[in-house]
Amino acid sequence: MEDKIIKSYEIAVEQYAGIGVNVEEALTKLENTAISLHCWQADDVGGFEHEGAELGGGGIQVTGNYPGKARNLDEMRADLRKVYSMIPGSHRLNLHAIYGDFGGTFVDRDAIGIEQFKSWVDWAKTMNIGLDFNGSFFSHPKSDAGYTLASKDKGIRDFWIEHAKRCREISAFMGESLNNRCVHNIWIPDGEKDITVDRMTHRNILREALDEVLAESYPASHMRDALESKLFGIGSESFVVGSHEFYLGYAVANQMMLCIDIGHFHPTESCADKVSAVFQFVDELLLHVTRGVRWDSDHIVILNDSIRELMQEIVWAGKLDKVCVGLDFFDASVNRLGAYVLGTRAAQKALLLAFLDPITKLREYEDKGQFFQRLALLEEAKSKPFGAVYDYYCLKNEVPVGEHYIAEIEKYEKDVLSNRN
């Protein structure tokens, strides 16, 4: 089998060379591109604040009840370790605040601190990965009214402001401890189900709350803040305070990272087209790679047109070094580890396809107005054997090649997941 993979790769190298693409350079770029895996796929966004915690509102929902989800930190870390062993390359882990090491003691969101995340840092060191972080503004009594940082209730608002401040401190600790910058992302579910009259006040409040949250500066080498918008959520179908326009304006005014979640826009809206536009005014982007299906924004990533176009645009724009790629999906109807591996590999394949584009020749055609030639070359590139290149990349990284990871997942389910009640 190994000989066949190598032979197929050699043929692919020759074919890509024919259109002016250096495959080895493409694989080097892929090797140097880390993807931040999201911890919340492992347990359906429940977290570990208390035993049996489950996702509770906040404009998001997990469907399905596939057996074997992680019930505690040890199980989650074991599952993640298995996942990383099946994905080529070196990657990251993205944590939500509800996944702290609480030691069986309830610690409220406005009281969490570095202490609850020291064991995560220690674990990350053993795994040789970086960490990213998110505040958790959902599944809490103080978010049940639909507002957090944008709440007109000062008590509610102050609670969440303190939570956000502590999340930034934790993020800076992670980045400093690992000598690997942590991206701290802010997403809130604030909004309303039906016609909202006083939108202006809520957005004024959110702007002022963010000013307070972000008042303290941390070294850029330790952490960077990002803002994530959303089109709508369950219970916020008519009004979302943190819209794309609001966060874009705030990010530009304050020179922050903007997070583009490709499931948080209208299904016909191109997130790829936003890349070059936004980069005129901000210096970095955070991507949350997911797959929207009708109203739901968080299906498992597959190699579809939207993710291919997004990765192409990042590479074509020459901004790969200014983009942080993260995943954000949760599906409880399938094997959760399988979802991780499938989704991450799909994101990698989209990146690889972009790296394998004959961009130099395409730009030459475009500059000369040779648009038929440009379109024809783009079309021919689609049928080149990129799968053989990815298989070789997996082989080189000593992870399962092709569909063979399915058997690995099935074995882990039989040996480990099936024993969880």
Side-chain angles (χ1 to χ4, degrees):
M1 176 183 173
E2 182 175 330
D3 290 342
K4 290 181 179 179
I5 293 169
I6 294 172
K7 181 62 177 177
S8 295
Y9 171 73
E10 291 171 346
I11 293 171
V13 168
E14 184 177 348
Q15 290 198 27
Y16 275 107
I19 58 172
V21 175
N22 186 315
V23 171
E24 288 187 5
E25 289 182 1
L27 286 181
T28 297
K29 292 175 183 177
L30 187 62
E31 184 73 28
N32 293 331
T33 305
I35 295 176
S36 193
L37 279 67
H38 53 311
C39 74
W40 49 94
Q41 166 60 29
D43 80 325
D44 311 335
V45 206
F48 304 124
E49 286 181 317
H50 53 82
E51 187 175 352
E54 294 182 354
L55 176 63
I60 49 180
Q61 181 177 326
V62 177
T63 55
N65 191 31
Y66 197 88
K69 75 174 181 179
R71 300 166 297 181
N72 52 56
L73 280 173
D74 289 340
E75 290 182 352
M76 172 171 280
R77 289 170 180 168
D79 290 353
L80 288 169
R81 190 175 292 109
K82 184 63 179 178
V83 167
Y84 285 116
S85 75
M86 291 183 282
I87 300 169
S90 179
H91 301 288
R92 307 177 61 83
L93 179 65
N94 192 11
L95 289 168
H96 249 289
I98 54 176
Y99 290 88
D101 188 349
F102 300 112
T105 302
F106 176 70
V107 181
D108 213 343
R109 308 279 175 89
D110 65 339
I112 61 170
I114 290 170
E115 190 64 31
Q116 284 79 41
F117 293 90
K118 284 182 176 178
S119 71
W120 273 116
V121 169
D122 292 339
W123 184 80
K125 289 178 180 177
T126 68
M127 295 289 294
N128 193 31
I129 62 172
L131 294 175
D132 298 309
F133 200 68
N134 307 261
S136 302
F137 295 84
F138 51 85
S139 299
H140 192 281
K142 285 186 168 60
S143 64
D144 286 349
Y147 288 100
T148 60
L149 292 178
S151 175
K152 293 182 180 180
D153 184 322
K154 187 176 185 302
I156 297 290
R157 188 168 68 252
D158 287 348
F159 175 90
W160 291 112
I161 287 173
E162 182 62 24
H163 174 64
K165 287 180 177 180
R166 288 172 176 264
C167 289
R168 297 187 71 231
E169 181 183 16
I170 292 165
S171 299
F173 161 72
M174 288 176 169
E176 181 180 15
S177 300
L178 296 171
N179 194 28
N180 190 331
R181 186 188 67 167
C182 176
V183 176
H184 168 250
N185 185 48
I186 298 174
W187 174 80
I188 60 173
D190 297 36
E192 293 193 21
K193 184 179 183 66
D194 218 324
I195 296 170
T196 309
V197 176
D198 199 8
R199 298 179 182 222
M200 180 63 80
T201 296
H202 283 295
R203 286 187 168 134
N204 284 340
I205 290 171
L206 177 56
R207 177 175 51 80
E208 292 171 359
L210 288 172
D211 288 345
E212 185 174 346
V213 166
L214 300 165
E216 184 170 354
S217 296
Y218 292 97
S221 60
H222 296 170
M223 67 91 74
R224 186 85 193 272
D225 298 290
L227 296 170
E228 178 184 356
S229 66
K230 192 168 186 178
L231 180 64
F232 78 94
I234 301 169
S236 59
E237 290 86 352
S238 295
F239 173 50
V240 171
V241 186
S243 65
H244 175 64
E245 292 77 11
F246 178 92
Y247 283 143
L248 176 61
Y250 195 94
V252 171
N254 295 276
Q255 281 304 290
M256 295 175 61
M257 290 180 75
L258 185 71
C259 175
I260 294 180
D261 184 311
I262 64 176
H264 285 188
F265 296 88
H266 194 279
T268 61
E269 195 170 0
S270 171
C271 288
D273 188 56
K274 299 180 187 299
V275 173
S276 60
V278 169
F279 265 121
Q280 304 303 313
F281 308 102
V282 301
D283 63 343
E284 283 189 287
L285 282 179
L286 169 63
L287 296 184
H288 275 186
V289 181
T290 184
R291 176 168 56 105
V293 177
R294 299 185 185 274
W295 63 268
D296 183 75
S297 65
D298 295 301
H299 279 63
I300 302 165
V301 174
I302 59 173
L303 187 59
N304 60 9
D305 288 345
S306 63
I307 186 174
R308 286 192 61 179
E309 290 166 3
L310 181 63
M311 297 306 186
Q312 276 183 326
E313 184 56 34
I314 291 165
V315 174
W316 290 356
K319 290 294 185 180
L320 183 66
D321 62 333
K322 296 295 183 180
V323 172
C324 298
V325 181
L327 303 178
D328 185 4
F329 55 82
F330 32 92
D331 190 339
S333 68
V334 300
N335 183 296
R336 295 169 183 83
L337 275 70
Y340 269 129
V341 180
L342 189 161
T344 310
R345 285 184 174 220
Q348 283 190 307
K349 289 174 183 176
L351 280 163
L352 178 60
L353 278 164
F355 295 145
L356 291 170
D357 278 332
I359 187 64
T360 300
K361 192 65 177 178
L362 288 167
R363 286 198 178 112
E364 180 184 323
Y365 283 147
E366 187 165 287
D367 291 342
K368 291 180 178 179
Q370 295 176 293
F371 301 133
F372 153 70
Q373 290 89 334
R374 179 187 63 185
L375 187 61
L377 187 56
L378 279 169
E379 195 66 15
E380 288 304 311
K382 292 178 182 177
S383 59
K384 297 302 178 188
F386 93 96
V389 178
Y390 189 75
D391 284 349
Y392 175 79
Y393 181 60
C394 290
L395 178 68
K396 189 174 72 168
N397 279 270
E398 300 180 339
V399 303
V401 176
E403 68 278 8
H404 292 283
Y405 76 85
I406 298 173
E408 284 283 318
I409 294 291
E410 290 174 341
K411 184 177 186 305
Y412 189 81
E413 179 170 0
K414 179 181 178 181
D415 295 344
V416 179
L417 303 183
S418 64
N419 295 317
R420 298 176 185 172
N421 297 321

